[in-house]
Amino acid sequence: MSQQGERPAAHEDDWWRRLYDENARDTGTSNAADSLDDRFDSASGAVGSGGREGPDGETGTLPEAEPAPAKGEGAPPVPAAPPVSGATAATPVPEEGHETAPAPRPVIGHVGDRPPTYDAEPTALPVTVPQELDGLVADTALDGARYGTYTLRAASVRGDSARFRGEPRRDALLTVRFGTDEHALVLVAVATGARATESAHLAAADACRWIGAAVGRSHARLSEDIRAGRRGELKSGLHRLTDRTYGKLRARAAELGTEPQQYTAGLRCLLLPADPDCRTRIFFGVGAGGLFRLREGAWQDLEPEILAAGDLGADPRAGSGAGAGFPAGSASPGSGPDGDRLTMDPAVTTPASPCAEAPPGPSDPPAEPFRFRGSVARPGDTLLLCSPGLAEPLRGEPALARELAGRWAPGTAPGLVAFLADTQLRVKGYSDDRTGVGVWEA
């Protein structure tokens, strides 16, 4: 019976036995079984003479091919091959002995008069113990996406100093999407742990994870407010979510038995709606870093420095974060450069909101001011959010600002590998972790 359940006929079974029965006699001309020598002689006789055996056992040689006529001696012209359309043309195969050169690999270069002291590649891995494997942080994080009218690139790299000393990356990066279709909301969070603390990388990761969870629970309302342009609701709502995140960091520090300033992180975020009809981009956060915009080939520093307590009456544009090659910050209260609507001057000096989950106590460090800015992007703009390790050389080294402007000014977003190489452009004297988030507007 076959696998399908059908019963074969009797003659089929007989044919099968005669063909595969191990006791069946050979069908050759001799009753004796073929030996290995017999089979070798038969095969060599068939192919060794270069011919075929005729009907009477004679072997005839194959006719030799006539030599091709020389060029110009009556040789028939070779017909031209029909043209191939560009849509179906195959990639030409290189001739033997003429190999094509491999594509050049991105090289980590440097700007400035002298190269940095440390090596450009990782040297030492961070030390760990078996009980702390969950807290390991990779040397490099890279991500990207494209929604609506923008292309997103994000990279976080351990600094040259940390690579040499075997320290973990203190910068944390989170890229996540909530929702679907035009109601989707993309959150990019960048956190930097406190310097010279053992748990800096853990605090940064917690800050990104907790702000991500908070935004995810409220993403529908946030997306609606962004598309409707409700600046006041956005600022107050995001302020509360940020306060709750820092309240959790303080609670976590208490669980670990450490001071709050030892388990904290600067946090900076971007909210990017996926709706192609909405070009509003929202920035919020707490702590140092940078927010820049490349427009028409020139950099704009969108984040003035936070004023000191004794300088509240001074001009908010004086002493802005405009480093070498950067213009001043906001043109007027409530608007950014070029009069962007929905823009809030980020030089906020008010303390944290009383809605925080854990109000500051006597032993807590002074509250960092909350930063908020919302602006409408134009086609061709490039928005850059970065950690202090990238913001400081951008403000302090004009050559780096010019180089990145030259690479990104055409308006086309680089690939992931190219963006990673761009963010790793080294400058002597700046060896901290670098995290950059670029948004290219089409």
Side-chain angles (χ1 to χ4, degrees), residues 314-392:
D315 185 355
R317 283 169 292 174
S320 69
F326 290 95
S330 302
S332 61
S335 65
D338 301 323
D340 285 344
R341 63 182 179 88
L342 272 177
T343 303
M344 195 82 173
D345 194 330
V348 181
T349 56
T350 56
S353 169
C355 301
E357 185 173 288
S363 61
D364 291 330
E368 285 274 359
F370 176 74
R371 294 170 170 86
F372 175 89
R373 182 183 290 277
S375 61
V376 178
R378 299 179 183 176
D381 283 355
T382 298
L383 189 65
L384 179 64
L385 174 72
C386 47
S387 66
L390 182 57
E392 291 173 3

Side-chain angles (χ1 to χ4, degrees), residues 83-442:
V84 181
S85 62
T88 59
T91 304
V93 179
E95 296 181 2
E96 186 177 356
H98 298 278
E99 298 180 357
T100 57
R105 295 181 178 180
V107 179
I108 301 176
H110 73 276
V111 296
D113 298 334
R114 294 176 297 170
T117 304
Y118 296 105
D119 189 23
E121 298 295 338
T123 302
L125 291 172
V127 64
T128 188
V129 295
Q131 295 79 12
E132 298 177 355
L133 294 180
D134 292 341
L136 291 179
V137 180
D139 176 88
T140 303
L142 186 62
D143 208 347
R146 183 171 64 236
Y147 290 101
T149 59
Y150 65 86
T151 300
L152 174 68
R153 296 289 180 262
S156 183
V157 183
R158 192 161 53 131
D160 293 343
S161 176
R163 284 176 164 181
F164 178 79
R165 302 175 187 276
E167 299 173 352
R169 175 165 49 92
R170 294 186 297 116
D171 280 3
L173 173 66
L174 173 69
T175 54
V176 63
R177 175 185 62 126
F178 301 107
T180 58
D181 301 330
E182 68 274 8
H183 300 285
L185 186 64
V186 175
L187 167 69
V188 185
V190 175
T192 302
R195 189 184 298 273
T197 58
E198 294 183 358
S199 303
H201 59 293
L202 300 178
D206 284 342
C208 287
R209 183 168 58 253
W210 288 334
I211 193 64
V215 169
R217 288 189 292 266
S218 306
H219 77 273
R221 178 63 184 273
L222 289 170
S223 179
E224 180 182 349
D225 288 343
I226 293 176
R227 296 167 67 190
R230 303 187 185 105
R231 185 187 68 182
E233 289 83 347
L234 285 168
K235 182 176 181 295
S236 60
L238 293 173
H239 197 169
R240 285 193 298 271
L241 298 182
T242 306
D243 285 343
R244 292 171 184 170
T245 297
Y246 277 90
K248 290 185 175 182
L249 284 174
R250 290 191 292 270
R252 180 60 176 160
E255 293 177 3
L256 298 175
T258 184
E259 295 296 327
Q261 60 267 28
Q262 298 295 317
Y263 198 85
T264 189
L267 179 64
R268 313 176 69 77
C269 305
L270 281 178
L271 287 179
L272 309 170
D275 187 354
D277 296 328
C278 180
R279 287 185 176 268
T280 303
R281 312 295 179 237
I282 300 296
F283 157 77
F284 69 95
V286 171
L291 180 66
F292 308 99
R293 179 172 59 197
L294 183 62
R295 174 171 288 179
E296 297 178 354
W299 284 107
Q300 298 173 348
D301 192 339
L302 301 185
E303 185 179 8
E305 291 180 353
I306 300 300
L307 301 178
D311 298 334
L312 296 181
D315 185 355
R317 283 169 292 174
S320 69
F326 290 95
S330 302
S332 61
S335 65
D338 301 323
D340 285 344
R341 63 182 179 88
L342 272 177
T343 303
M344 195 82 173
D345 194 330
V348 181
T349 56
T350 56
S353 169
C355 301
E357 185 173 288
S363 61
D364 291 330
E368 285 274 359
F370 176 74
R371 294 170 170 86
F372 175 89
R373 182 183 290 277
S375 61
V376 178
R378 299 179 183 176
D381 283 355
T382 298
L383 189 65
L384 179 64
L385 174 72
C386 47
S387 66
L390 182 57
E392 291 173 3
L394 266 175
R395 293 189 177 109
E397 179 54 60
L400 178 61
R402 288 195 301 267
E403 179 66 21
L404 291 181
R407 297 187 181 194
W408 296 346
T412 302
L416 289 178
V417 176
F419 180 75
L420 177 62
D422 293 343
T423 56
Q424 288 183 279
L425 274 174
R426 308 166 70 221
V427 181
K428 187 174 181 60
Y430 299 94
S431 58
D432 284 343
D433 298 347
R434 286 189 178 186
T435 302
V437 179
V439 182
W440 276 260
E441 302 288 345

Side-chain angles (χ1 to χ4, degrees), residues 40-104:
F40 177 80
D41 293 340
S42 175
S44 60
V47 300
S49 61
R52 295 182 179 178
E53 187 176 348
D56 296 333
E58 298 180 357
T59 302
T61 59
L62 296 176
E64 298 182 358
E66 297 181 0
K71 185 176 181 181
E73 298 181 2
V78 179
V84 181
S85 62
T88 59
T91 304
V93 179
E95 296 181 2
E96 186 177 356
H98 298 278
E99 298 180 357
T100 57

